[in-house]
């Protein structure tokens, strides 16, 4: 096992362990921007089979303290709002500096409302590690969402004079649909999340996937919601719905794609949302998105279903967008076929498992990632796809569903897997360790290894009108159904004289097989010493990478390998916990780094 730690302080220290499982922390000197920011956090990683322990990773820092999973283009990430007790929710809204809202969720929301005036402050800074040590800093807010082994990158940028968000591919701007005849669509809105070369008979092009604005929300067809999201006065006292955040992103968005050699033309996967909705049925905002695409052209994400006739009544439904290859007549070399999308498929099995009360029990479902390869059986490695648009191939999709109904006094998120060919759905951590346990997935690789985060060992206290549970990164093998906490793998690798000091909080990505090993990248914390670790105090946010061999994956154990973790006696009293302790307990919340 190989472990690498990247500190916000801008330097990686060297530590060598000599025991049965070797753990190495390597030390190139890097620079990550700047003091007084939230982070660093991972946004993208080179996941190719060429990726190694020094794989390229995009890291960003935030100006304000907001959940790293909040995405203004995906209401399912923020429309549930705060579930904890009033003191905790107030602390998260106001921040730590005297209850005046300077660095909490209120400051982040206020900055969004300032997008179209001179008070807007760029929210993110980023760099890419692994190619060079230069810091890439831009005037606008930028986040890299995917990179590949050659250094190509995609992401999203905000410019507070011309547009609220625009996707990019390298140096090319990815325009949204121009849906108004006079062009007064406030610059439109586009986001991108994944890109890959799609190789099908007669079609071999790189596709970039995400979403594009296609019309204004609700039947009146006006920009009123856009202004309410991006160009209104903030209200400090309106924290129950994050100051009308449900008006965001101010557009109806449709899942979309761009071809790398024709980036000026945006194409939509579908012209409607789930159930044939047009996007103007009622007051709900209609959003669809493609989070990932595989080399066979199958894309996954979500689309909106109208559940309630109100501003936040739209719900995300996990969706697969199916490719269709059509021969060109007469064939013209090198293009002999065209690519289109024949349907969008809601993963209905997620509804069937719940029954007729689905809409009351489950709030949202989303598909996050899909394999390029095909599942055969538990005893056989994943195999290459057949190179066609055949929709009976056993690609494996991973995603998350959020609960509307309270489970054991907790509103939870739960990850699932879905076999495209058989329709088989698994919920690997359902009611584990208790009913109401939370888990969230972020990536599956082409050997069926899945990473994400879940309730940490021993976390069972109710969250509804309470406080949060600590989250811990995990790995899960789809073939064998074995799983392990990365914390346990790290602890199990320590020598007898070494103190435990790192916690892996959120595993973000995992590489494909590189000479029999896999690299995982995660957000985490450095606690400096065992006492800090035990009491969860005095930590520094870090980016951690761990490399596991195929043999270590084969022998995954669910047993805690770190004795201190079985007897942690840190304080767990909601708002009585300090700001620097409380935020890491939020599954989705950040902590500020101070030098």
């Amino acid at each position: 096992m190989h472990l690498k730690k990247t500190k916000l302080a801008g330097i990686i220290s060297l530590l060598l362990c000599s025991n049965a499982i070797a753990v190495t922390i390597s030390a190139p000197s890097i620079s990550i921007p700047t003091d007084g920011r939230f982070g660093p956090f991972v946004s993208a990683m080179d996941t190719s089979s060429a990726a190694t322990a020094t794989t390229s990773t995009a890291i960003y820092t935030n100006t304000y303290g907001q959940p790293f999973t909040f995405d203004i283009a995906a209401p399912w990430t923020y429309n549930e709002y705060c579930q904890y007790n009033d003191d905790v929710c107030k602390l998260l809204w106001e921040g730590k500096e005297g209850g005046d809202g300077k660095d909490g969720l209120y400051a982040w929301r206020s900055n969004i409302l300032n997008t179209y005036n001179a008070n807007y402050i760029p929210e993110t800074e980023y760099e890419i590690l692994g190619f060079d040590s230069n810091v890439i800093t831009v005037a606008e807010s930028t986040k890299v969402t995917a990179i590949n082994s050659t250094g190509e990158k995609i992401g999203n940028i905000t410019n507070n004079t011309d547009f609220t968000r625009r996707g990019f591919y390298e140096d090319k701007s990815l325009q949204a649909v121009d849906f108004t005849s006079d062009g007064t669509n406030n610059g439109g809105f586009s986001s991108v999340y994944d890109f890959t070369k799609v190789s099908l008979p007669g079609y071999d092009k790189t596709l970039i996937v995400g979403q594009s604005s296609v019309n204004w929300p609700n039947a009146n067809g006006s920009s009123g919601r856009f202004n309410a999201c991006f160009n209104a006065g903030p209200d400090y006292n309106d924290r129950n719905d994050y100051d009308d955040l449900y008006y965001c992103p101010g557009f109806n968005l449709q899942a979309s794609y761009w071809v790398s050699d024709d980036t000026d033309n945006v194409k939509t996967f579908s012209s409607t949302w789930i159930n044939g909705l047009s996007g103007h049925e009622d007051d709900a905002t209609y959003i669809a998105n493609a989070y990932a695409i595989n080399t066979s052209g199958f894309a996954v994400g979500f689309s909106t279903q109208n559940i309630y006739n109100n501003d936040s009544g739209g719900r995300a439904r996990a969706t697969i967008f199916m490719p269709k290859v059509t021969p060109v007549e007469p064939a013209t070399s090198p293009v002999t076929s065209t690519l289109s999308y024949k349907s969008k498929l809601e993963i209905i099995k997620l509804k069937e498992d719940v029954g007729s009360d689905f809409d009351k029990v489950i709030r949202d479902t989303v598909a996050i990632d899909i394999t390029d390869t095909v599942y055969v059986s538990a005893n056989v490695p994943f195999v290459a796809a057949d190179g066609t648009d055949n929709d009976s191939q056993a690609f494996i999709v991973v995603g998350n569903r959020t609960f509307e109904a309270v489970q054991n006094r907790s509103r939870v998120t739960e990850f699932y897997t879905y076999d495209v060919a058989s329709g088989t759905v698994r919920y690997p951590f359902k009611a584990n360790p208790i009913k109401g346990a939370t888990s969230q997935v972020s990536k599956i690789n082409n050997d069926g290894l899945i990473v994400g985060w879940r309730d940490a060992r021993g976390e069972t206290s109710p969250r509804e009108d309470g406080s949060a549970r600590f989250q811990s990164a995990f790995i899960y093998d789809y073939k064998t159904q074995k799983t392990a906490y990365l914390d346990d793998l790290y602890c199990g690798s320590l020598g007898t004289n070494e103190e435990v000091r790192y916690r892996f909080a959120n595993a973000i990505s995992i590489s494909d097989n590189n000479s029999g090993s896999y690299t995982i990248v995660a957000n985490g914390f450095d606690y400096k010493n065992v006492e800090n670790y035990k009491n969860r105090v005095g930590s520094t946010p870090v980016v951690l990478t761990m490399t596991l061999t195929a043999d270590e994956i084969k022998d995954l154990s669910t047993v805690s390998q770190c004795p201190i973790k079985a007897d942690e006696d840190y304080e767990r009293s909601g708002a009585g916990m300090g700001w620097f302790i409380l935020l890491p307990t939020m599954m989705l919340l950040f902590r500020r780094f101070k030098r």
Side-chain angles (χ1 to χ4, degrees), residues 169 195-200 202-208 257-262 267 293-295 297 334-339:
Y169 166 68
F195 68 119
T196 195
K197 178 171 281 191
V198 173
S199 297
L200 293 169
Y203 191 90
D204 192 29
K205 290 181 178 291
T206 296
L207 267 58
I208 305 130
Y257 64 99
W258 296 257
V259 182
S260 65
D261 61 2
D262 185 26
K267 301 174 177 64
I293 185 170
N294 70 12
T295 53
V335 177
T336 59
S337 301
T338 61
L339 180 68

PDB file of all heavy atoms in Angstrom, residues 169 195-200 202-208 257-262 267 293-295 297 334-339:
ATOM      1  N   TYR A 169     -13.419  23.303 -22.203  1.00  0.00           N
ATOM      2  CA  TYR A 169     -12.590  22.165 -22.589  1.00  0.00           C
ATOM      3  C   TYR A 169     -11.264  22.740 -23.067  1.00  0.00           C
ATOM      4  O   TYR A 169     -11.216  23.414 -24.100  1.00  0.00           O
ATOM      5  CB  TYR A 169     -13.265  21.363 -23.694  1.00  0.00           C
ATOM      6  CG  TYR A 169     -12.372  20.364 -24.410  1.00  0.00           C
ATOM      7  CD1 TYR A 169     -11.890  19.232 -23.748  1.00  0.00           C
ATOM      8  CD2 TYR A 169     -12.023  20.545 -25.737  1.00  0.00           C
ATOM      9  CE1 TYR A 169     -11.072  18.315 -24.410  1.00  0.00           C
ATOM     10  CE2 TYR A 169     -11.222  19.634 -26.404  1.00  0.00           C
ATOM     11  CZ  TYR A 169     -10.737  18.521 -25.725  1.00  0.00           C
ATOM     12  OH  TYR A 169      -9.930  17.619 -26.386  1.00  0.00           O
ATOM     13  N   PHE A 195     -15.376  13.658 -19.772  1.00  0.00           N
ATOM     14  CA  PHE A 195     -15.124  13.574 -21.204  1.00  0.00           C
ATOM     15  C   PHE A 195     -14.340  12.306 -21.506  1.00  0.00           C
ATOM     16  O   PHE A 195     -13.565  11.822 -20.687  1.00  0.00           O
ATOM     17  CB  PHE A 195     -14.388  14.814 -21.725  1.00  0.00           C
ATOM     18  CG  PHE A 195     -12.967  14.995 -21.251  1.00  0.00           C
ATOM     19  CD1 PHE A 195     -11.917  15.023 -22.160  1.00  0.00           C
ATOM     20  CD2 PHE A 195     -12.662  15.179 -19.909  1.00  0.00           C
ATOM     21  CE1 PHE A 195     -10.606  15.222 -21.750  1.00  0.00           C
ATOM     22  CE2 PHE A 195     -11.358  15.379 -19.477  1.00  0.00           C
ATOM     23  CZ  PHE A 195     -10.320  15.395 -20.409  1.00  0.00           C
ATOM     24  N   THR A 196     -14.590  11.735 -22.691  1.00  0.00           N
ATOM     25  CA  THR A 196     -13.900  10.514 -23.093  1.00  0.00           C
ATOM     26  C   THR A 196     -14.016  10.353 -24.601  1.00  0.00           C
ATOM     27  O   THR A 196     -14.899  10.948 -25.241  1.00  0.00           O
ATOM     28  CB  THR A 196     -14.494   9.278 -22.387  1.00  0.00           C
ATOM     29  OG1 THR A 196     -13.594   8.181 -22.518  1.00  0.00           O
ATOM     30  CG2 THR A 196     -15.835   8.878 -22.991  1.00  0.00           C
ATOM     31  N   LYS A 197     -13.128   9.540 -25.177  1.00  0.00           N
ATOM     32  CA  LYS A 197     -13.228   9.213 -26.598  1.00  0.00           C
ATOM     33  C   LYS A 197     -14.228   8.078 -26.753  1.00  0.00           C
ATOM     34  O   LYS A 197     -14.039   6.984 -26.209  1.00  0.00           O
ATOM     35  CB  LYS A 197     -11.878   8.802 -27.177  1.00  0.00           C
ATOM     36  CG  LYS A 197     -11.966   8.406 -28.650  1.00  0.00           C
ATOM     37  CD  LYS A 197     -10.601   8.209 -29.279  1.00  0.00           C
ATOM     38  CE  LYS A 197      -9.981   9.547 -29.629  1.00  0.00           C
ATOM     39  NZ  LYS A 197      -8.772   9.387 -30.483  1.00  0.00           N
ATOM     40  N   VAL A 198     -15.295   8.336 -27.480  1.00  0.00           N
ATOM     41  CA  VAL A 198     -16.315   7.331 -27.755  1.00  0.00           C
ATOM     42  C   VAL A 198     -15.937   6.622 -29.049  1.00  0.00           C
ATOM     43  O   VAL A 198     -15.783   7.256 -30.098  1.00  0.00           O
ATOM     44  CB  VAL A 198     -17.707   7.979 -27.882  1.00  0.00           C
ATOM     45  CG1 VAL A 198     -18.744   6.955 -28.339  1.00  0.00           C
ATOM     46  CG2 VAL A 198     -18.119   8.601 -26.546  1.00  0.00           C
ATOM     47  N   SER A 199     -15.759   5.312 -28.973  1.00  0.00           N
ATOM     48  CA  SER A 199     -15.340   4.514 -30.137  1.00  0.00           C
ATOM     49  C   SER A 199     -16.414   3.493 -30.469  1.00  0.00           C
ATOM     50  O   SER A 199     -16.593   2.498 -29.764  1.00  0.00           O
ATOM     51  CB  SER A 199     -14.011   3.806 -29.838  1.00  0.00           C
ATOM     52  OG  SER A 199     -12.986   4.749 -29.617  1.00  0.00           O
ATOM     53  N   LEU A 200     -17.143   3.782 -31.553  1.00  0.00           N
ATOM     54  CA  LEU A 200     -18.202   2.921 -32.048  1.00  0.00           C
ATOM     55  C   LEU A 200     -18.014   2.763 -33.557  1.00  0.00           C
ATOM     56  O   LEU A 200     -17.248   3.521 -34.167  1.00  0.00           O
ATOM     57  CB  LEU A 200     -19.566   3.531 -31.728  1.00  0.00           C
ATOM     58  CG  LEU A 200     -19.941   3.599 -30.241  1.00  0.00           C
ATOM     59  CD1 LEU A 200     -21.176   4.446 -30.034  1.00  0.00           C
ATOM     60  CD2 LEU A 200     -20.136   2.205 -29.669  1.00  0.00           C
ATOM     61  N   GLY A 202     -17.638   3.322 -37.084  1.00  0.00           N
ATOM     62  CA  GLY A 202     -17.742   4.512 -37.911  1.00  0.00           C
ATOM     63  C   GLY A 202     -17.768   5.815 -37.148  1.00  0.00           C
ATOM     64  O   GLY A 202     -17.956   6.887 -37.741  1.00  0.00           O
ATOM     65  N   TYR A 203     -17.580   5.751 -35.819  1.00  0.00           N
ATOM     66  CA  TYR A 203     -17.635   6.971 -35.004  1.00  0.00           C
ATOM     67  C   TYR A 203     -16.536   6.907 -33.956  1.00  0.00           C
ATOM     68  O   TYR A 203     -16.504   5.981 -33.137  1.00  0.00           O
ATOM     69  CB  TYR A 203     -18.993   7.123 -34.324  1.00  0.00           C
ATOM     70  CG  TYR A 203     -19.185   8.476 -33.684  1.00  0.00           C
ATOM     71  CD1 TYR A 203     -19.746   9.532 -34.404  1.00  0.00           C
ATOM     72  CD2 TYR A 203     -18.800   8.710 -32.368  1.00  0.00           C
ATOM     73  CE1 TYR A 203     -19.915  10.785 -33.825  1.00  0.00           C
ATOM     74  CE2 TYR A 203     -18.964   9.950 -31.788  1.00  0.00           C
ATOM     75  CZ  TYR A 203     -19.520  10.988 -32.521  1.00  0.00           C
ATOM     76  OH  TYR A 203     -19.674  12.226 -31.935  1.00  0.00           O
ATOM     77  N   ASP A 204     -15.636   7.883 -33.970  1.00  0.00           N
ATOM     78  CA  ASP A 204     -14.502   7.881 -33.046  1.00  0.00           C
ATOM     79  C   ASP A 204     -14.175   9.325 -32.676  1.00  0.00           C
ATOM     80  O   ASP A 204     -13.311   9.950 -33.276  1.00  0.00           O
ATOM     81  CB  ASP A 204     -13.296   7.206 -33.701  1.00  0.00           C
ATOM     82  CG  ASP A 204     -12.179   6.920 -32.699  1.00  0.00           C
ATOM     83  OD1 ASP A 204     -12.489   6.708 -31.518  1.00  0.00           O
ATOM     84  OD2 ASP A 204     -11.003   6.930 -33.109  1.00  0.00           O
ATOM     85  N   LYS A 205     -14.872   9.847 -31.696  1.00  0.00           N
ATOM     86  CA  LYS A 205     -14.709  11.251 -31.312  1.00  0.00           C
ATOM     87  C   LYS A 205     -14.756  11.396 -29.800  1.00  0.00           C
ATOM     88  O   LYS A 205     -15.339  10.569 -29.092  1.00  0.00           O
ATOM     89  CB  LYS A 205     -15.807  12.115 -31.938  1.00  0.00           C
ATOM     90  CG  LYS A 205     -15.694  12.286 -33.459  1.00  0.00           C
ATOM     91  CD  LYS A 205     -16.803  13.173 -33.991  1.00  0.00           C
ATOM     92  CE  LYS A 205     -16.657  13.385 -35.495  1.00  0.00           C
ATOM     93  NZ  LYS A 205     -15.480  14.214 -35.823  1.00  0.00           N
ATOM     94  N   THR A 206     -14.150  12.471 -29.308  1.00  0.00           N
ATOM     95  CA  THR A 206     -14.182  12.779 -27.887  1.00  0.00           C
ATOM     96  C   THR A 206     -15.416  13.605 -27.568  1.00  0.00           C
ATOM     97  O   THR A 206     -15.643  14.664 -28.171  1.00  0.00           O
ATOM     98  CB  THR A 206     -12.915  13.541 -27.458  1.00  0.00           C
ATOM     99  OG1 THR A 206     -11.780  12.696 -27.635  1.00  0.00           O
ATOM    100  CG2 THR A 206     -13.005  13.965 -25.999  1.00  0.00           C
ATOM    101  N   LEU A 207     -16.208  13.113 -26.619  1.00  0.00           N
ATOM    102  CA  LEU A 207     -17.417  13.807 -26.176  1.00  0.00           C
ATOM    103  C   LEU A 207     -17.221  14.366 -24.773  1.00  0.00           C
ATOM    104  O   LEU A 207     -16.609  13.720 -23.912  1.00  0.00           O
ATOM    105  CB  LEU A 207     -18.620  12.866 -26.193  1.00  0.00           C
ATOM    106  CG  LEU A 207     -19.488  12.854 -27.466  1.00  0.00           C
ATOM    107  CD1 LEU A 207     -18.662  12.492 -28.686  1.00  0.00           C
ATOM    108  CD2 LEU A 207     -20.656  11.900 -27.300  1.00  0.00           C
ATOM    109  N   ILE A 208     -17.722  15.561 -24.566  1.00  0.00           N
ATOM    110  CA  ILE A 208     -17.701  16.230 -23.267  1.00  0.00           C
ATOM    111  C   ILE A 208     -19.146  16.323 -22.808  1.00  0.00           C
ATOM    112  O   ILE A 208     -20.019  16.791 -23.571  1.00  0.00           O
ATOM    113  CB  ILE A 208     -17.102  17.638 -23.381  1.00  0.00           C
ATOM    114  CG1 ILE A 208     -15.714  17.582 -24.031  1.00  0.00           C
ATOM    115  CG2 ILE A 208     -17.027  18.312 -22.024  1.00  0.00           C
ATOM    116  CD1 ILE A 208     -15.533  18.532 -25.162  1.00  0.00           C
ATOM    117  N   TYR A 257     -24.203  17.518 -24.488  1.00  0.00           N
ATOM    118  CA  TYR A 257     -22.836  17.118 -24.817  1.00  0.00           C
ATOM    119  C   TYR A 257     -22.281  17.976 -25.939  1.00  0.00           C
ATOM    120  O   TYR A 257     -23.016  18.574 -26.730  1.00  0.00           O
ATOM    121  CB  TYR A 257     -22.754  15.630 -25.163  1.00  0.00           C
ATOM    122  CG  TYR A 257     -23.506  15.192 -26.401  1.00  0.00           C
ATOM    123  CD1 TYR A 257     -22.851  15.014 -27.618  1.00  0.00           C
ATOM    124  CD2 TYR A 257     -24.876  14.926 -26.350  1.00  0.00           C
ATOM    125  CE1 TYR A 257     -23.538  14.590 -28.747  1.00  0.00           C
ATOM    126  CE2 TYR A 257     -25.568  14.496 -27.476  1.00  0.00           C
ATOM    127  CZ  TYR A 257     -24.895  14.334 -28.674  1.00  0.00           C
ATOM    128  OH  TYR A 257     -25.570  13.919 -29.795  1.00  0.00           O
ATOM    129  N   TRP A 258     -20.949  18.043 -25.947  1.00  0.00           N
ATOM    130  CA  TRP A 258     -20.212  18.780 -26.955  1.00  0.00           C
ATOM    131  C   TRP A 258     -19.176  17.830 -27.554  1.00  0.00           C
ATOM    132  O   TRP A 258     -18.598  16.998 -26.834  1.00  0.00           O
ATOM    133  CB  TRP A 258     -19.485  19.975 -26.365  1.00  0.00           C
ATOM    134  CG  TRP A 258     -20.357  21.055 -25.785  1.00  0.00           C
ATOM    135  CD1 TRP A 258     -20.662  22.262 -26.340  1.00  0.00           C
ATOM    136  CD2 TRP A 258     -21.031  21.039 -24.511  1.00  0.00           C
ATOM    137  NE1 TRP A 258     -21.469  23.000 -25.520  1.00  0.00           N
ATOM    138  CE2 TRP A 258     -21.713  22.275 -24.377  1.00  0.00           C
ATOM    139  CE3 TRP A 258     -21.120  20.106 -23.472  1.00  0.00           C
ATOM    140  CZ2 TRP A 258     -22.479  22.596 -23.261  1.00  0.00           C
ATOM    141  CZ3 TRP A 258     -21.874  20.423 -22.356  1.00  0.00           C
ATOM    142  CH2 TRP A 258     -22.555  21.652 -22.255  1.00  0.00           C
ATOM    143  N   VAL A 259     -18.909  17.933 -28.852  1.00  0.00           N
ATOM    144  CA  VAL A 259     -17.871  17.145 -29.511  1.00  0.00           C
ATOM    145  C   VAL A 259     -16.596  17.986 -29.516  1.00  0.00           C
ATOM    146  O   VAL A 259     -16.637  19.186 -29.819  1.00  0.00           O
ATOM    147  CB  VAL A 259     -18.278  16.757 -30.944  1.00  0.00           C
ATOM    148  CG1 VAL A 259     -17.208  15.896 -31.597  1.00  0.00           C
ATOM    149  CG2 VAL A 259     -19.620  16.022 -30.913  1.00  0.00           C
ATOM    150  N   SER A 260     -15.462  17.376 -29.160  1.00  0.00           N
ATOM    151  CA  SER A 260     -14.235  18.148 -28.940  1.00  0.00           C
ATOM    152  C   SER A 260     -13.771  18.912 -30.168  1.00  0.00           C
ATOM    153  O   SER A 260     -13.112  19.950 -30.043  1.00  0.00           O
ATOM    154  CB  SER A 260     -13.119  17.229 -28.448  1.00  0.00           C
ATOM    155  OG  SER A 260     -12.777  16.280 -29.450  1.00  0.00           O
ATOM    156  N   ASP A 261     -14.087  18.428 -31.376  1.00  0.00           N
ATOM    157  CA  ASP A 261     -13.676  19.151 -32.587  1.00  0.00           C
ATOM    158  C   ASP A 261     -14.795  20.028 -33.146  1.00  0.00           C
ATOM    159  O   ASP A 261     -14.696  20.548 -34.260  1.00  0.00           O
ATOM    160  CB  ASP A 261     -13.173  18.179 -33.660  1.00  0.00           C
ATOM    161  CG  ASP A 261     -14.231  17.174 -34.116  1.00  0.00           C
ATOM    162  OD1 ASP A 261     -15.374  17.257 -33.620  1.00  0.00           O
ATOM    163  OD2 ASP A 261     -13.914  16.313 -34.952  1.00  0.00           O
ATOM    164  N   ASP A 262     -15.854  20.219 -32.335  1.00  0.00           N
ATOM    165  CA  ASP A 262     -16.972  21.066 -32.748  1.00  0.00           C
ATOM    166  C   ASP A 262     -17.612  21.681 -31.514  1.00  0.00           C
ATOM    167  O   ASP A 262     -18.819  21.563 -31.282  1.00  0.00           O
ATOM    168  CB  ASP A 262     -17.990  20.235 -33.538  1.00  0.00           C
ATOM    169  CG  ASP A 262     -19.129  21.081 -34.113  1.00  0.00           C
ATOM    170  OD1 ASP A 262     -18.910  22.290 -34.331  1.00  0.00           O
ATOM    171  OD2 ASP A 262     -20.221  20.530 -34.316  1.00  0.00           O
ATOM    172  N   LYS A 267     -25.238  19.987 -28.062  1.00  0.00           N
ATOM    173  CA  LYS A 267     -26.306  19.043 -28.397  1.00  0.00           C
ATOM    174  C   LYS A 267     -26.929  18.546 -27.099  1.00  0.00           C
ATOM    175  O   LYS A 267     -26.230  18.327 -26.113  1.00  0.00           O
ATOM    176  CB  LYS A 267     -25.753  17.855 -29.202  1.00  0.00           C
ATOM    177  CG  LYS A 267     -25.076  18.264 -30.512  1.00  0.00           C
ATOM    178  CD  LYS A 267     -24.425  17.054 -31.159  1.00  0.00           C
ATOM    179  CE  LYS A 267     -23.811  17.426 -32.509  1.00  0.00           C
ATOM    180  NZ  LYS A 267     -22.703  18.406 -32.359  1.00  0.00           N
ATOM    181  N   ILE A 293     -19.697   9.630 -18.900  1.00  0.00           N
ATOM    182  CA  ILE A 293     -19.936   8.945 -20.161  1.00  0.00           C
ATOM    183  C   ILE A 293     -18.860   7.890 -20.334  1.00  0.00           C
ATOM    184  O   ILE A 293     -17.698   8.097 -19.939  1.00  0.00           O
ATOM    185  CB  ILE A 293     -19.936   9.929 -21.352  1.00  0.00           C
ATOM    186  CG1 ILE A 293     -20.320   9.210 -22.657  1.00  0.00           C
ATOM    187  CG2 ILE A 293     -18.602  10.662 -21.471  1.00  0.00           C
ATOM    188  CD1 ILE A 293     -20.567  10.160 -23.821  1.00  0.00           C
ATOM    189  N   ASN A 294     -19.220   6.709 -20.893  1.00  0.00           N
ATOM    190  CA  ASN A 294     -18.214   5.684 -21.123  1.00  0.00           C
ATOM    191  C   ASN A 294     -17.793   5.644 -22.590  1.00  0.00           C
ATOM    192  O   ASN A 294     -18.320   6.376 -23.427  1.00  0.00           O
ATOM    193  CB  ASN A 294     -18.669   4.309 -20.598  1.00  0.00           C
ATOM    194  CG  ASN A 294     -19.808   3.701 -21.411  1.00  0.00           C
ATOM    195  OD1 ASN A 294     -20.155   4.155 -22.496  1.00  0.00           O
ATOM    196  ND2 ASN A 294     -20.401   2.634 -20.863  1.00  0.00           N
ATOM    197  N   THR A 295     -16.830   4.792 -22.893  1.00  0.00           N
ATOM    198  CA  THR A 295     -16.249   4.762 -24.242  1.00  0.00           C
ATOM    199  C   THR A 295     -17.215   4.191 -25.277  1.00  0.00           C
ATOM    200  O   THR A 295     -16.944   4.274 -26.475  1.00  0.00           O
ATOM    201  CB  THR A 295     -14.946   3.950 -24.238  1.00  0.00           C
ATOM    202  OG1 THR A 295     -15.195   2.659 -23.665  1.00  0.00           O
ATOM    203  CG2 THR A 295     -13.871   4.657 -23.429  1.00  0.00           C
ATOM    204  N   GLY A 297     -20.313   5.368 -25.323  1.00  0.00           N
ATOM    205  CA  GLY A 297     -21.278   6.439 -25.510  1.00  0.00           C
ATOM    206  C   GLY A 297     -22.456   6.430 -24.569  1.00  0.00           C
ATOM    207  O   GLY A 297     -23.364   7.246 -24.721  1.00  0.00           O
ATOM    208  N   PRO A 334     -13.412   9.944 -43.036  1.00  0.00           N
ATOM    209  CA  PRO A 334     -13.383   8.867 -42.048  1.00  0.00           C
ATOM    210  C   PRO A 334     -14.698   8.699 -41.275  1.00  0.00           C
ATOM    211  O   PRO A 334     -14.829   7.818 -40.451  1.00  0.00           O
ATOM    212  CB  PRO A 334     -12.273   9.319 -41.103  1.00  0.00           C
ATOM    213  CG  PRO A 334     -12.389  10.812 -41.119  1.00  0.00           C
ATOM    214  CD  PRO A 334     -12.780  11.178 -42.526  1.00  0.00           C
ATOM    215  N   VAL A 335     -15.688   9.583 -41.514  1.00  0.00           N
ATOM    216  CA  VAL A 335     -16.956   9.478 -40.797  1.00  0.00           C
ATOM    217  C   VAL A 335     -17.921   8.630 -41.615  1.00  0.00           C
ATOM    218  O   VAL A 335     -18.328   9.014 -42.711  1.00  0.00           O
ATOM    219  CB  VAL A 335     -17.554  10.871 -40.538  1.00  0.00           C
ATOM    220  CG1 VAL A 335     -18.907  10.736 -39.857  1.00  0.00           C
ATOM    221  CG2 VAL A 335     -16.603  11.702 -39.690  1.00  0.00           C
ATOM    222  N   THR A 336     -18.242   7.469 -41.081  1.00  0.00           N
ATOM    223  CA  THR A 336     -19.196   6.599 -41.766  1.00  0.00           C
ATOM    224  C   THR A 336     -20.498   6.452 -40.989  1.00  0.00           C
ATOM    225  O   THR A 336     -21.425   5.813 -41.461  1.00  0.00           O
ATOM    226  CB  THR A 336     -18.592   5.204 -41.991  1.00  0.00           C
ATOM    227  OG1 THR A 336     -18.245   4.634 -40.719  1.00  0.00           O
ATOM    228  CG2 THR A 336     -17.344   5.297 -42.862  1.00  0.00           C
ATOM    229  N   SER A 337     -20.529   7.036 -39.782  1.00  0.00           N
ATOM    230  CA  SER A 337     -21.729   6.935 -38.946  1.00  0.00           C
ATOM    231  C   SER A 337     -21.909   8.230 -38.173  1.00  0.00           C
ATOM    232  O   SER A 337     -20.963   9.005 -37.980  1.00  0.00           O
ATOM    233  CB  SER A 337     -21.612   5.764 -37.964  1.00  0.00           C
ATOM    234  OG  SER A 337     -21.429   4.545 -38.642  1.00  0.00           O
ATOM    235  N   THR A 338     -23.119   8.458 -37.711  1.00  0.00           N
ATOM    236  CA  THR A 338     -23.410   9.582 -36.827  1.00  0.00           C
ATOM    237  C   THR A 338     -23.898   9.046 -35.494  1.00  0.00           C
ATOM    238  O   THR A 338     -24.426   7.933 -35.410  1.00  0.00           O
ATOM    239  CB  THR A 338     -24.479  10.508 -37.433  1.00  0.00           C
ATOM    240  OG1 THR A 338     -25.683   9.751 -37.623  1.00  0.00           O
ATOM    241  CG2 THR A 338     -24.008  11.087 -38.752  1.00  0.00           C
ATOM    242  N   LEU A 339     -23.725   9.845 -34.458  1.00  0.00           N
ATOM    243  CA  LEU A 339     -24.144   9.454 -33.116  1.00  0.00           C
ATOM    244  C   LEU A 339     -25.298  10.339 -32.663  1.00  0.00           C
ATOM    245  O   LEU A 339     -25.246  11.559 -32.790  1.00  0.00           O
ATOM    246  CB  LEU A 339     -22.976   9.592 -32.137  1.00  0.00           C
ATOM    247  CG  LEU A 339     -23.278   9.220 -30.677  1.00  0.00           C
ATOM    248  CD1 LEU A 339     -23.539   7.733 -30.544  1.00  0.00           C
ATOM    249  CD2 LEU A 339     -22.118   9.649 -29.770  1.00  0.00           C
TER     250      LEU A 339
END
